[in-house]
Amino acid sequence: PTPIFLKNTIMFASSARLATRAAPLGVVGAAAFLSATPVEAKSAVDISAVRKDIANLIETDAAKRDDGTSYTGTFVRLAWHCAGTYSKADNSGGSNGARMRFNPEASWGANAGLGGARDALEPLKAKYPDLSYADLYTLAGVTAIEEAAGPTIPWRSGREDMPSGESSPPDGRLPDADKGNPPKTIEHIKAVFNRMGFSDRQMVALSGAHALGRCHENASGYWGPWTFAETTFSNEYFRLLIEEKWTLKTTHNGKPWTGPVQYEDSTGKLMMLPSDVALLQDAELRKVVELYAKDEDLFFKEFSAAFSKLLELGVPFPKAWWKFW
């Protein structure tokens, strides 16, 4: 005979299936939590197709530029800044809502240059109208990293869009590259990441996204890429940070440098921000930089977990049924 506890388990699962089949559309969601698979609000969208279209967009744009640059780094920054406003203290901010497409966030200095990335994704939003902007922006960053030979980033749909920027958090939640001196800069970036719920080690891991893309004078005021392979995700950012000699940039194209304080390597072709160099001047953070510089697999693993966490902060995903007890 079947043990009583197993009979109850079978009856419980059967009841869930019957409830889902028999219930009207309006109440199916009440039984949906019984599924072990997370419920996704936009399940009708073919996410694999969206990924392919994002990858094609990056590839097509890179071919048009023909200068070694692409949307890769910009899409990662788009996803990062969409999510990086989160505060664990009151659960405000984060990627849910995609408020960055409205003012005030669209006009924040930290988001300068991201309007072009949002515009580039508009045709995909039109093609997949049931996919939220918040899902599209975060998926663009995930796809960019994976297409750049980076780690697989756990990602799921289900974010919703806000109709305006009225609920945007206050400006100043995204990290600044320079607070005047290394101790203040380190204090600032630690406060930014700790506010979101990240450890200092996770902060360093996320900084590794600087392996991709470059800074533009017409956006941030800074100039140049962090690595010689700005469309390839790797631990090169950490290796270069440790192994190269970084000096203050004083000239640019034969003329005095008039931009903000930044550092350059011996060739003058690579750059580091004050917040990058500051990682070396904190003993504990430097240890993590050295660790990632030597072990790319470890960096990939820890970056993947931290970036996935970043993109989900503040998103009210439905809980799996076993998490209700």
Side-chain angles (χ1 to χ4, degrees), residues 15 22 35 60 73-74 134 137 143 175 188 208 236 240 287 290 301 324:
S15 298
S35 170
T60 301
T74 311
Y137 293 168
T143 303
H188 165 69
E236 192 71 353
L240 290 168
K287 291 178 182 178
E290 292 173 341
K301 177 183 177 181
F324 280 82

Side-chain angles (χ1 to χ4, degrees), residues 227-266:
T227 75
F228 285 113
E230 61 185 272
T231 60
T232 301
F233 195 88
S234 69
N235 68 337
E236 192 71 353
Y237 163 78
F238 297 110
R239 187 190 69 79
L240 290 168
L241 190 54
I242 289 292
E243 296 181 6
E244 288 290 330
K245 181 179 179 181
W246 299 97
T247 58
L248 285 172
K249 182 178 181 63
T250 58
T251 61
H252 185 63
N253 293 330
K255 299 178 180 180
W257 171 247
T258 58
V261 173
Q262 68 175 75
Y263 296 82
E264 63 183 8
D265 71 334
S266 58

Side-chain angles (χ1 to χ4, degrees), residues 189-237:
I189 59 176
K190 282 185 176 182
V192 167
F193 284 88
N194 293 165
R195 185 203 70 230
M196 291 188 280
F198 289 108
S199 67
D200 290 349
R201 181 170 177 133
Q202 289 172 319
M203 176 188 77
V204 178
L206 288 170
S207 297
H210 283 172
L212 298 173
R214 62 169 56 212
C215 288
H216 300 270
E217 291 178 82
N218 62 354
S220 64
Y222 298 99
W223 175 89
W226 288 267
T227 75
F228 285 113
E230 61 185 272
T231 60
T232 301
F233 195 88
S234 69
N235 68 337
E236 192 71 353
Y237 163 78

